[in-house]
Amino acid sequence: MKKISLLAVVMLLLCTSCCEPIKPTPQPPKQNETPTPPPVVTPSKPENGWKTKVVVINASDYTKWVYLNFAKGELVEVTNPETDLSWDLGLHRYDFKTNGGTSGKGKGAAVRITKQKVITEDIPTPKDSEWTLDREGLLLMQFTNEGGGVHQSKYEKQMANFCLSSECDGYGDFLNKGIIRQEGMPPEVSIDNAIYLIRSASGDIVRLRVHDYRKFENEREMRGYITLEYAIKQENNK
């Protein structure tokens, strides 16, 4: 009887161990191989009298300009930019124009700020001689990458602000460096994170910084989507 009892106990232990559920081996979390642009936080309240906005502008089409109204924070339809006062900043890929100089009949102009890093802090108003007005210059208006190191480019004379934009030399290089800089082949893009002051069509001073030149969709990088942060004096945008 003792031998039978011992055998029964051993069999019971074996069955119990066999019936325990198998725990899955924990897997390390999958890493996102596609880089995502850092989030841009917009203050919910005005700081020092300045109200900030963040907008993402689709300026990816090489063949056309799009036009931003600072007060509305949105694009406006413009047929004749030289006479239309509804727009403040024009965008074309990595190029910019203001509503002034040869680009429009407004009071637009631009200047780069070298010392101040906080967009809502005190920034002295530049002298009239320090502002850059729009003029005619050469821009890249068509680019097609055919693969294998072969591409097609087309340059055209355009009105733009060359404090904000990089002017092409017509041979794949640039005469100056604007906010968004493109160099080499394949093109490597970099951003100047300085604050720029923009005079709107009405002459109000708007502070602007560019955060990104692309967006990501279905793990694919799409260039020409410009993330702008800008600040408007509160009394100018009630």
Side-chain angles (χ1 to χ4, degrees):
M1 293 296 294
K2 289 183 180 179
K3 290 182 180 180
I4 295 174
S5 299
L6 181 60
L7 180 61
V9 170
V10 171
M11 292 298 294
L12 180 61
L13 290 174
L14 288 174
C15 290
T16 303
S17 62
C18 292
C19 294
E20 288 183 355
I22 299 175
K23 297 180 180 180
T25 303
Q27 298 294 324
K30 294 182 179 180
Q31 294 184 351
N32 185 5
E33 297 180 354
T34 303
T36 55
V40 182
V41 179
T42 302
S44 58
K45 295 181 180 180
E47 295 185 13
N48 299 323
W50 290 88
K51 183 178 181 180
T52 60
K53 294 184 179 182
V54 174
V55 293
V56 179
I57 306 296
N58 180 359
S60 59
D61 191 338
Y62 270 105
T63 66
K64 69 177 184 180
W65 289 83
V66 294
Y67 297 91
L68 174 67
N69 179 292
F70 282 135
K72 294 180 179 179
E74 60 188 29
L75 297 180
V76 292
E77 292 291 334
V78 175
T79 303
N80 297 309
E82 294 83 4
T83 59
D84 194 328
L85 291 175
S86 69
W87 67 276
D88 300 302
L89 185 70
L91 298 92
H92 162 263
R93 290 293 291 191
Y94 309 143
D95 308 317
F96 302 86
K97 66 168 67 175
T98 69
N99 197 333
T102 58
S103 292
K105 68 175 185 178
K107 300 177 181 179
V111 64
R112 184 180 186 271
I113 301 301
T114 58
K115 295 182 179 181
Q116 182 57 262
K117 302 300 181 183
V118 181
I119 201 167
T120 54
E121 292 298 322
D122 183 57
I123 299 177
T125 301
K127 300 176 182 178
D128 288 344
S129 60
E130 297 177 305
W131 292 91
T132 299
L133 297 174
D134 287 37
R135 60 173 176 82
E136 186 180 66
L138 201 62
L139 298 180
L140 178 61
M141 298 302 292
Q142 181 179 322
F143 180 83
T144 305
N145 189 347
E146 300 179 356
V150 179
H151 64 275
Q152 298 292 331
S153 301
K154 181 181 179 181
Y155 301 91
E156 292 180 8
K157 291 283 187 179
Q158 294 280 313
M159 305 303 174
N161 189 287
F162 292 103
C163 170
L164 308 175
S165 309
S166 300
E167 184 175 8
C168 300
D169 67 354
Y171 301 97
D173 207 347
F174 297 92
L175 303 177
N176 70 307
K177 292 184 177 181
I179 300 178
I180 305 177
R181 304 158 183 185
Q182 182 173 268
E183 297 176 299
M185 189 57 63
E188 293 292 330
V189 182
S190 61
I191 297 175
D192 177 16
N193 66 354
I195 296 171
Y196 286 78
L197 301 187
I198 312 294
R199 279 205 312 243
S200 68
S202 62
D204 294 328
I205 294 178
V206 177
R207 301 171 177 185
L208 179 139
R209 176 182 278 140
V210 175
H211 285 280
D212 212 336
Y213 61 91
R214 71 244 160 110
K215 75 170 185 177
F216 294 90
E217 190 172 281
N218 298 325
E219 299 186 351
R220 184 166 66 96
E221 181 187 72
M222 302 173 66
R223 297 188 175 189
Y225 288 79
I226 313 301
T227 301
L228 303 176
E229 178 188 17
Y230 66 93
I232 301 177
K233 198 68 174 175
Q234 183 62 12
E235 57 263 29
N236 295 333
N237 189 41
K238 294 180 180 179

